[in-house]
Amino acid sequence: MSHSIVPKYVLDDIKDFMRMNYINFHISLPHSLIIAQAFCLRFKEYGNDFGVSVIADAVEYVKKSLTEN
């Protein structure tokens, strides 16, 4: 539930990051931790502010919301 402390604009950036970097996201995505690590390398300020584990939870949340839509 730690994704709930992540602001909407960060969740939007995660969603955009996943769509840009994982073209076939509807077929198969890497583990959330791998995506979170790549995201934190790209957006260092988010990694510093929230940490990889919180970002990984947020990635999992975004993955679920993308597959439901």
Side-chain angles (χ1 to χ4, degrees):
M1 253 334 180
S2 60
H3 73 273
S4 60
I5 65 170
V6 177
K8 182 176 178 344
Y9 66 89
V10 177
L11 294 174
D12 291 340
D13 285 345
I14 291 171
K15 186 186 310 181
D16 292 343
F17 177 81
M18 289 171 59
R19 285 194 171 141
M20 287 176 27
N21 292 289
Y22 303 101
I23 302 296
N24 296 321
F25 71 87
H26 58 282
I27 297 171
S28 176
L29 281 171
H31 191 277
S32 297
L33 185 57
I34 293 171
I35 296 172
Q37 289 172 330
F39 181 81
C40 288
L41 286 172
R42 170 67 176 84
F43 296 96
K44 290 180 179 25
E45 66 278 5
Y46 295 157
N48 291 337
D49 290 346
F50 302 105
V52 174
S53 62
V54 172
I55 295 295
D57 288 344
V59 167
E60 191 64 35
Y61 174 78
V62 170
K63 282 171 71 172
K64 287 180 184 176
S65 70
L66 287 174
T67 56
E68 290 174 356
N69 292 333

